[in-house]
Amino acid sequence: MDNHSLVDYAKSLDCVHCGLCLNSCPTYRITGRESSSPRGRIHLMRSVAEGAIEPDDDFAEEMDFCLLCRNCESVCPSGVRYGAMMEHTRGALEERRQRPWTARLARSIGFGILRDRMALRVTARLARLAEGTGLARLVGAPALPRHAERVLLPTHMPAEGGELARVAMLEGCVMPELLGHVQRATAQVLQRAGCTVQISPMHVCCGSLHAHNGEVKAACELARATIEAYERLTDERGNPLPLIINSAGCGSHIKEFEHLFADDETMAVRARALSGRSFDLSQFLAREPFRSRLMQRLNPKASHQGPYAWDDPCHLCHGQGVRREPRELLQAAVGDGLVPLADPESCCGSAGIYSLLRPRDSQAVLQPRIEALRASGARTLVTSNPGCQMQWEAGIRTAQLDVSVSHLAEVLERASR
Amino acid sequence: MSTLHTAGRERVALLPRSAEELSELLARCRAEGRRVLAIGTGCALREDLLLQERDQIISTERMRGIIEYEPAEGVVTAWSGTRLSELRKTVEAGGHLLTPALPLETERTLGGVIAAGASGSDRLRHGPLRNHVLGVRVADGEGIITRSGGRLVKNVTGYDLPRLHTGARGSLGVIVEASLRLFPLPAVRNGWWLDAQSGAHACRVALQVRATRAQPLSMTALRLDNRWQLHVELAGHAAVIEDEERILRGISSSFQANEAGRTDLEQLMLRLRNQHHLSCQPARIEELVAQLEADPTTGDLLVDPGIATVRWTGARPVPEVPPLSGVQRALEQRIRKAIDPHGMFLRG
Amino acid sequence: MGVDSTLVEALRRELGSDGVLDRRSQRVPYECDGLAFARQVPELVLLPRDTQQTAAAMRLLHEARVAIVPRGAGTGLSGGATPVEGGVTIGTGRMRSVLHIDALNRWARVQAGVVNADLGHACESHGLFYAPDPSSQKACTVGGNVGENSGGPHCFRYGNTSQHVLGLVIVTPQGEILDLSEPQVDPQGLDLVGLFTGSEGMLGIATEITVRLLPVPEVVETWVALFRSLDAACDATSDLIAARAEPSAIEILDKLTIEAVEQSVLRAGYPQDAEAVMLLELEGSEASVQANAAVIEPLLAVRGAFGLRRARASADRARLWAGRKGAYGAMGRIAPDLYVCDAVVPRRHLRALVRRTTEICSGKGLRIANVFHAGDGNLHPNISYDRRNPEELRRVLEAGDEMMRACIEAGGSLSGEHGIGLEKLSAMPWMFSSEDLAVMCRVREAWDPECRMNPGKLLPIRACMETRMRAPGAT
């Protein structure tokens, strides 16, 4: 078998083995094991490609253990594209992996549901019903909101106080089911910042979870569908609208769609175009003239659940390099109610569906973050990724802290009423 | 040859003039089965040293002279018998400060100071002597001379044997030459002092100074004729000194400039250099000094509050130091045997 | 004897299953440290959690006569942590606790696996800092720093690690615990702590370290000055030393390094039109920073420095330093591998030797970048190469040797901070006579008569063999 194809060998050569990534890696920090560090994993990949080791179960286990938080990329002076390498290897491993049929079925159902709005809605309803039986708590599923919360956004929401621009907003797959209030807050904040918000009725999932978990084929299909869906949302001159994303994981993935089309130049060009007009909510709101419009409406006194702490979602700070904007907006919204949180750029352990696949590891990664939160004295933790939001909520419940978790959009919405 | 008084008896010391002569003497001692006491001028020998009839004293005091001093480098290398006073004169002419600052520099040799591990009052700013010994050449019991370290300010090649010889009191061989790291000669240097109500008070003031941005060269509290004084030595650029003077006066208005006090200090340091001496942690120094000064049998007292070291005369003994652990003792013995397999060298 | 299943079982009982790594995919990543071309997969990797576990493991290994290689974060550049055949690697990756900070007396006690930068963060709130700052400080461990007597830019003022180690807990090769952790003004007995520091893991494993902390200076100012030639920057450094100016760090980066840094995530805003960048740091009271600045600025001007920038805000300073600290990794953009040499030269000969190293490399068709601790005369010629090309690797090693020889001929030394390890083993006799080396061998054998600790490093095997032949009682 060709083990070389398991690895993006050319990218692995960028690593000079300096080790500066070690301390940034959550799995290295909890295990102290070189093989569970970015440098160690790259070393393993290279060893597989060079035939020094077999891509056995131990190898696959180290690849699965990675959270793909990409903190290592932020500190790598050699510019190693670790995330892309890991997605490549996971994809190649998945293709040849012999999973038991039950696991294959579970995966195909799980990843399949995400792609289909009806399936998502039905699943949510069933899950809500199951909650009554206590079954859901038993399997550690997230708590679902009431049905009334789980409504989809209208496809057209007009700007308040005069339209400055029209934008598209990513509604997403699980967000409407689990965090509908965040979606509504996001749309409202955009409206108050002078944007008319449009939702694509045909789009469901961008495929980021698929790509992170080795489902490369599905990820490509979903990326293609996403590109097509948002090419159709245009302004009156026919130019596609900027796409506003409030989920860091999706944003980071959409901005890197191009990598999925290495063999298809036409699609790569269209992917680049979408990446070029995709913005994290905070990134967009920090731009003029929207910023000024929103600032006029922000009233720090309206925030009553302080002190607040900001947690950088990995796929926002490491994946998209967005750090300054959310802090500035939050500062404007809560004034001096913002307190520092130790190690804000390290992973909370949510990592897409990692927390479901590897609950024990996920908890171990979360633990030091919970302690940092406790030490910060914050009463509201603000983040901007659905996975992180739910992970923190679960951890805070277990640790019995008196802290609530909000999406940045919710805080901005409350402060701009 | 010269004579030396030790343990109440007059002894003859051999005085080689070169490394070659030293090697020959050592080889001869080895052949004759004599143990060797290596000394500089013998001014800092320990009191409890017991010499046997056949033991041979070898002094390096005639192996003198600067081997290399390049003002553009900041390092001086000299034969071990070179007096500190001569070293200081040479390097000051090149704009450098020699550390350690010790009393009686005309009597102290480079090798002797290193063997004694003697740090000076300027340790407060510049650190202990062992940080500054960059390299040594040492003669072993067969007269073979080996080198470790070098003449460079930064160098990690090989084991750090200069640190092993520093403070080993000649027990691991005879230091032949050594290289010291130098510091910039301060443009301005002046002394300040105040009358303190007690030793504890003097320490308190000193620790207050330590907590500011001021970086005195030394701070010394002393009791002379039942009066306590705190001496603070400032050194550096004129503007820095001015700033630090302001800081001192801000801490206590009774600080005053002083030149004469320095002489008293030297005298007292001389009187106390072989007396009881004890170190602790800075946070405990006030308490320790309070205990000592309350003891009516205590005579003179000299305190370095920043380093947390006290010297005194009087009946109050130095508290017993816990003995070395068995592991440490055994290891030390093995190291001594490795470097001095015939057990030739006495601890001076 | 050696590593067998009985030993592995016994080690598991002491360290738990997470503390004993025997599966191949877990061992392979330990096959090298920052000196990536030297490789050997260890038989076993142990990750003890504390002194007791380390001692228990070392006792078992002592009984089984197994060689031991200590390892911190594996960021060393001299192969100090390269495993030995049939040997066991003991890593400190799970000894990451800051045990105690005594702010009043200004010291801290940490486990050996604490990352250098994490120690810095831990004492920040007390207004204190830990001075040694190797460029890898965000990853390297204090234990590793002790093993190599590591340096860093600020060692120009503060000295290498050894000047900051007040005490150690050492597990001896026999598995005994030597507790020298109490900070003392002067050592009681021989200075074993001083001897152990920089002994490159050959005398035992330090599990706990007591370090000296210093008060954070009132003002810290970072300067960036540009030069039209590398020669001019070197001359300016020699001038600063000769004038006894007192910055706390003097660093030089050449053009190739600047380009690499500016293309990396560490963009420091170094202008790319300069042939050399000098980074200086001034620290102390406002008055002393001003006074030093008045001495330094004209000296730089004489050598044609331009574009001088000064930064005091910590974010700006951090950015200027980030480029310097990540320079080694940033060079990864130039070629797959990088050989970082480390040599010291007398500071008055800086220009001549920097030139010489460049000539040696270009003569062999190699690309060299210079980024170094100029103030200490500590050169770091970086050679880019691809280890898959054995012929190129050979030229790299030859160039390394020639550069070393040139430095030693000028009165320099083989290493200023990386240590000798495997990398410079064969060069030791250029600097030391066989008698000099014999003393070191005997000291090593006093600790470790079987030479099981990190064998084959620092001391050329021949020197040790000769020592034994000469040893008293040898026939």
Side-chain angles (χ1 to χ4, degrees):
Chain A
M1 229 194 250
D2 176 20
N3 290 340
H4 203 279
S5 68
L6 279 174
V7 176
D8 192 338
Y9 190 64
K11 284 198 184 79
S12 79
L13 298 180
D14 290 340
C15 173
V16 290
H17 222 261
C18 70
L20 288 191
C21 53
L22 294 182
N23 211 28
S24 74
C25 176
T27 56
Y28 178 73
R29 289 207 290 201
I30 58 177
T31 61
R33 255 193 336 239
E34 180 78 24
S35 57
S36 305
S37 76
R39 177 176 69 175
R41 292 190 178 107
I42 293 172
H43 196 99
L44 287 176
M45 290 180 196
R46 260 183 99 157
S47 302
V48 163
E50 288 167 1
I53 60 168
E54 283 303 311
D56 54 10
D57 288 351
D58 292 338
F59 173 77
E61 161 62 18
E62 283 301 357
M63 300 301 123
D64 286 346
F65 187 24
C66 171
L67 295 139
L68 256 181
C69 70
R70 296 168 67 181
N71 200 334
C72 49
E73 289 188 38
S74 285
V75 298
C76 176
S78 301
V80 172
R81 301 241 321 272
Y82 177 85
M85 283 170 67
M86 182 53 80
E87 285 182 14
H88 176 107
T89 297
R90 281 195 184 166
L93 278 174
E94 196 54 45
E95 265 177 37
R96 62 164 72 175
R97 193 176 302 207
Q98 308 284 315
R99 287 188 191 275
W101 70 270
T102 42
R104 277 206 311 276
L105 183 67
R107 274 179 83 90
S108 100
I109 293 174
F111 285 116
I113 289 171
L114 295 174
R115 309 173 61 161
D116 187 316
R117 182 72 70 202
M118 264 324 283
L120 278 162
R121 310 235 77 195
V122 170
T123 310
R125 189 161 300 181
L126 288 175
R128 175 80 184 161
L129 287 173
E131 263 176 29
T133 68
L135 184 69
R137 202 132 314 143
L138 211 63
V139 297
L144 276 159
R146 290 175 298 118
H147 180 67
E149 285 279 301
R150 290 183 278 118
V151 289
L152 294 177
L153 292 171
T155 53
H156 184 91
M157 291 164 276
E160 289 181 24
E163 182 183 287
L164 295 170
R166 285 167 66 191
V167 300
M169 175 184 152
L170 183 84
E171 185 165 37
C173 45
V174 295
M175 286 280 279
E177 306 304 331
L178 295 174
L179 297 162
H181 52 289
V182 172
Q183 300 307 76
R184 287 190 291 281
T186 304
Q188 278 168 338
V189 171
L190 282 166
Q191 287 172 284
R192 288 172 197 166
C195 299
T196 294
V197 182
Q198 304 222 138
I199 302 292
S200 165
M202 56 188 284
H203 183 249
V204 181
C205 178
C206 67
S208 76
L209 292 174
H210 304 76
H212 294 168
N213 292 287
E215 301 286 333
V216 182
K217 198 163 146 270
C220 286
E221 288 166 16
L222 288 167
R224 188 184 290 268
T226 305
I227 292 167
E228 282 166 1
Y230 292 101
E231 279 172 350
R232 292 195 193 177
L233 290 185
T234 60
D235 63 14
E236 54 284 354
R237 282 188 303 252
N239 294 322
L241 299 179
L243 175 61
I244 314 303
I245 305 159
N246 64 358
S247 148
C250 304
S252 161
H253 181 59
I254 290 172
K255 287 179 179 182
E256 292 177 348
F257 266 171
E258 186 188 346
H259 308 321
L260 293 168
F261 302 107
D263 308 323
D264 184 345
E265 183 52 28
T266 328
M267 272 318 290
V269 169
R270 290 165 70 187
R272 260 201 301 279
L274 177 61
S275 305
R277 61 174 196 278
S278 294
F279 300 91
D280 181 72
L281 175 69
S282 65
Q283 224 181 348
F284 191 77
L285 291 176
R287 291 158 66 108
E288 293 298 351
F290 317 107
R291 186 177 171 280
S292 297
R293 176 74 68 87
L294 183 64
M295 287 297 163
Q296 284 165 14
R297 293 196 55 155
L298 287 179
N299 174 18
K301 291 200 187 74
S303 62
H304 45 76
Q305 288 170 303
Y308 291 79
W310 168 249
D311 167 61
D312 292 88
C314 298
H315 283 198
L316 192 59
C317 62
H318 308 304
Q320 302 179 51
V322 174
R323 295 177 166 86
R324 183 178 47 82
E325 295 89 338
R327 278 193 177 73
E328 279 178 9
L329 289 167
L330 192 55
Q331 184 91 57
V334 305
D336 51 13
L338 191 59
V339 294
L341 176 70
D343 230 353
E345 293 195 9
S346 80
C347 185
C348 65
S350 157
I353 54 168
Y354 189 93
S355 53
L356 301 176
L357 296 176
R358 305 178 69 105
R360 266 187 55 207
D361 296 330
S362 168
Q363 283 305 311
V365 172
L366 175 63
Q367 210 40 53
R369 306 301 325 279
I370 290 286
E371 290 317 312
L373 176 62
R374 193 196 302 273
S376 76
R379 287 199 52 228
T380 300
L381 179 82
V382 189
T383 185
S384 67
N385 188 55
C388 306
Q389 198 164 345
M390 293 186 291
Q391 170 86 347
W392 278 108
E393 273 167 0
I396 286 167
R397 238 190 341 267
T398 312
Q400 297 182 321
L401 298 186
D402 181 21
V403 180
S404 62
V405 184
S406 290
H407 190 284
L408 176 66
E410 297 174 273
V411 180
L412 292 174
E413 189 278 320
R414 275 200 299 273
S416 61
R417 274 178 198 162
Chain B
M1 293 217 193
S2 94
T3 56
L4 176 82
H5 291 274
T6 176
R9 293 191 45 208
E10 195 167 275
R11 297 291 302 243
V12 173
L14 298 173
L15 298 164
R17 269 166 305 199
S18 67
E20 292 72 33
E21 279 187 24
L22 171 68
S23 288
E24 274 171 39
L25 287 178
L26 286 168
R28 206 189 315 149
C29 289
R30 161 93 189 94
E32 293 170 3
R34 288 171 189 268
R35 295 189 304 174
V36 169
L37 174 68
I39 62 168
T41 57
C43 69
L45 283 177
R46 61 195 173 100
E47 298 268 290
D48 57 348
L49 179 68
L50 280 179
L51 284 185
Q52 292 171 8
E53 202 55 49
R54 287 178 53 76
D55 294 343
Q56 180 62 58
I57 302 173
I58 296 182
S59 159
T60 56
E61 69 164 306
R62 281 167 71 178
M63 294 166 54
R64 293 169 78 151
I66 310 276
I67 296 168
E68 184 181 75
Y69 169 60
E70 194 65 57
E73 201 60 42
V75 175
V76 66
T77 302
W79 295 105
S80 64
T82 315
R83 303 297 191 278
L84 283 199
S85 51
E86 186 186 342
L87 278 177
R88 186 173 301 281
K89 210 174 108 204
T90 307
V91 305
E92 280 191 357
H96 282 111
L97 176 81
L98 179 81
T99 175
L102 294 163
L104 265 195
E105 289 198 333
T106 50
E107 277 183 33
R108 292 202 178 242
T109 65
L110 174 62
V113 165
I114 292 173
S119 299
S121 56
D122 54 354
R123 168 182 193 152
L124 181 65
R125 185 191 286 179
H126 293 305
L129 173 70
R130 60 179 182 277
N131 285 355
H132 312 309
V133 183
L134 301 172
V136 290
R137 289 211 303 142
V138 176
D140 72 7
E142 294 176 24
I144 296 171
I145 296 175
T146 57
R147 197 163 67 84
S148 52
R151 297 179 184 178
L152 300 150
V153 292
K154 190 175 186 183
N155 178 15
V156 300
T157 309
Y159 295 150
D160 199 345
L161 301 185
R163 277 180 186 264
L164 206 52
H165 289 289
T166 304
R169 305 198 77 92
S171 62
L172 300 176
V174 187
I175 297 173
V176 174
E177 72 165 62
S179 302
L180 285 186
R181 180 190 190 121
L182 302 170
F183 293 87
L185 191 65
V188 182
R189 193 167 162 166
N190 61 24
W192 290 75
W193 70 283
L194 61 71
D195 271 320
Q197 294 137 21
S198 65
H201 175 231
C203 290
R204 209 153 48 235
V205 175
L207 292 185
Q208 267 177 288
V209 175
R210 175 179 175 264
T212 68
R213 63 176 176 269
Q215 296 200 308
L217 193 60
S218 70
M219 290 196 283
T220 318
L222 56 111
R223 186 167 79 180
L224 263 181
D225 312 324
N226 271 324
R227 276 178 53 215
W228 275 98
Q229 293 181 347
L230 174 67
H231 289 260
V232 179
E233 224 184 333
L234 303 179
H237 294 282
V240 178
I241 299 288
E242 268 176 45
D243 178 45
E244 295 186 342
E245 287 171 2
R246 270 195 302 278
I247 292 172
L248 291 189
R249 282 198 300 266
I251 288 171
S252 168
S253 53
S254 44
F255 263 115
Q256 47 192 296
N258 176 37
E259 290 305 319
R262 186 73 210 166
T263 334
D264 297 345
L265 194 61
E266 293 244 332
Q267 287 303 321
L268 189 60
M269 283 167 102
L270 274 179
R271 268 207 332 250
L272 283 166
R273 70 186 160 155
N274 282 337
Q275 295 301 326
H276 303 319
H277 124 258
L278 183 64
S279 296
C280 61
Q281 298 264 317
R284 274 209 56 222
I285 191 71
E286 202 181 311
E287 181 194 334
L288 178 62
V289 168
Q291 280 171 15
L292 277 166
E293 66 181 328
D295 188 329
T297 65
T298 305
D300 299 327
L301 263 162
L302 183 78
V303 189
D304 192 332
I307 303 298
T309 299
V310 192
R311 287 164 202 277
W312 71 95
T313 58
R316 199 181 176 90
V318 178
E320 206 144 303
V321 196
L324 300 185
S325 70
V327 180
Q328 186 176 355
R329 219 170 39 239
L331 184 61
E332 276 206 8
Q333 269 167 15
R334 292 202 301 273
I335 293 172
R336 288 184 189 285
K337 191 146 174 49
I339 299 181
D340 177 24
H342 311 295
M344 281 267 289
F345 294 103
L346 292 159
R347 222 177 123 254
Chain C
M1 291 220 247
V3 178
D4 57 22
S5 57
T6 324
L7 177 64
V8 172
E9 274 318 304
L11 287 165
R12 279 224 167 86
R13 276 195 296 277
E14 298 292 346
L15 306 184
S17 59
D18 288 349
V20 181
L21 311 182
D22 60 346
R23 305 186 76 95
R24 190 168 160 80
S25 67
Q26 291 180 326
R27 292 182 287 123
V28 162
Y30 287 91
E31 68 181 326
C32 62
D33 61 9
L35 186 76
F37 60 72
R39 286 152 178 254
Q40 171 69 46
V41 180
E43 286 297 304
L44 212 56
V45 178
L46 305 180
L47 300 175
R49 287 195 182 277
D50 55 27
T51 304
Q52 298 304 331
Q53 286 196 351
T54 311
M58 302 263 286
R59 273 193 300 274
L60 289 168
L61 296 171
H62 173 60
E63 284 160 19
R65 302 284 182 270
V66 174
I68 299 168
V69 177
R71 174 179 169 120
T75 55
L77 294 166
S78 62
T82 311
V84 293
E85 203 181 335
V88 166
T89 289
I90 299 187
T92 56
R94 297 202 302 171
M95 296 202 269
R96 300 168 60 95
S97 302
V98 174
L99 300 170
H100 184 69
I101 295 180
D102 183 336
L104 210 51
N105 295 311
R106 296 176 183 166
W107 55 264
R109 185 173 297 144
V110 300
Q111 281 193 303
V114 166
V115 169
N116 177 301
D118 288 347
L119 168 57
H121 295 314
C123 41
E124 225 167 43
S125 60
H126 300 283
L128 298 169
F129 76 106
Y130 176 61
D133 58 340
S135 297
S136 56
Q137 72 183 137
K138 287 202 166 140
C140 65
T141 63
V142 179
N145 296 167
V146 168
E148 301 296 319
N149 192 8
S150 307
H154 287 83
C155 293
F156 176 63
R157 173 167 180 172
Y158 297 109
N160 279 29
T161 301
S162 161
Q163 298 200 15
H164 304 274
V165 177
L166 299 176
L168 294 171
V169 175
I170 296 166
V171 178
T172 68
Q174 298 77 33
E176 293 172 317
I177 296 170
L178 175 61
D179 186 345
L180 306 168
S181 61
E182 206 48 49
Q184 288 180 336
V185 170
D186 285 311
Q188 194 191 347
L190 296 176
D191 185 4
L192 299 181
V193 170
L195 172 64
F196 189 92
T197 307
S199 61
E200 304 197 11
M202 298 169 77
L203 307 182
I205 296 185
T207 51
E208 288 176 27
I209 298 140
T210 310
V211 295
R212 186 161 74 102
L213 303 176
L214 299 172
V216 174
E218 185 185 46
V219 177
V220 184
E221 199 170 277
T222 305
W223 290 21
V224 170
L226 313 179
F227 290 87
R228 303 210 192 278
S229 73
L230 190 54
D231 281 358
C234 291
D235 285 340
T237 305
S238 298
D239 292 352
L240 289 169
I241 303 300
R244 300 168 306 283
E246 295 180 276
S248 55
I250 311 176
E251 300 286 306
I252 293 178
L253 292 78
D254 71 1
K255 193 176 175 67
L256 197 59
T257 313
I258 300 166
E259 285 169 2
V261 165
E262 290 306 311
Q263 285 163 24
S264 77
V265 291
L266 302 171
R267 278 175 303 273
Y270 301 149
Q272 297 192 44
D273 57 346
E275 283 297 318
V277 165
M278 182 187 279
L279 263 172
L280 290 158
E281 198 140 276
L282 283 71
E283 49 184 77
S285 63
E286 180 68 49
S288 79
V289 168
Q290 301 267 10
N292 274 316
V295 174
I296 294 168
E297 198 169 349
L299 289 171
L300 300 181
V302 167
R303 298 292 179 178
F306 65 102
L308 181 66
R309 278 190 292 158
R310 300 176 173 197
R312 280 195 181 189
S314 63
D316 297 342
R317 293 199 311 103
R319 201 160 57 103
L320 294 177
W321 275 109
R324 166 63 188 90
K325 302 225 159 177
Y328 160 46
M331 305 294 291
R333 294 167 172 275
I334 294 171
D337 296 287
L338 190 70
Y339 180 51
V340 186
C341 308
D342 167 42
V344 191
V345 299
R347 299 174 287 184
R348 56 194 190 279
H349 303 319
L350 211 49
R351 176 180 59 176
L353 281 147
V354 169
R355 267 202 178 183
R356 184 80 193 98
T357 56
T358 311
E359 285 162 12
I360 289 169
C361 288
S362 53
K364 294 188 181 296
L366 297 168
R367 279 190 90 176
I368 178 180
N370 278 295
V371 45
F372 57 105
H373 310 305
D376 285 313
N378 191 178
L379 306 187
H380 286 325
N382 295 310
I383 310 174
S384 322
Y385 72 100
D386 185 338
R387 66 167 175 249
R388 293 167 300 171
N389 178 348
E391 195 279 328
E392 190 181 29
L393 178 59
R394 184 185 53 76
R395 277 184 288 136
V396 169
L397 296 177
E398 276 175 15
D401 279 358
E402 277 183 43
M403 293 191 290
M404 286 302 149
R405 275 193 192 277
C407 291
I408 288 175
E409 277 162 21
S413 159
L414 292 172
S415 176
E417 53 183 19
H418 296 173
I420 302 303
L422 275 181
E423 181 206 3
K424 292 169 186 161
L425 196 58
S426 58
M428 281 296 271
W430 305 346
M431 203 171 142
F432 291 111
S433 71
S434 57
E435 282 96 356
D436 299 339
L437 293 173
V439 177
M440 293 184 200
C441 289
R442 291 203 301 268
V443 168
R444 182 249 197 122
E445 287 174 18
W447 292 73
D448 179 17
E450 297 164 330
C451 299
R452 282 187 302 109
M453 289 302 300
N454 218 2
K457 312 285 172 70
L458 192 143
L459 292 169
I461 292 163
R462 254 221 341 250
C464 286
M465 302 271 284
E466 283 166 12
T467 315
R468 273 192 224 163
M469 309 266 291
R470 280 190 27 179
T475 46

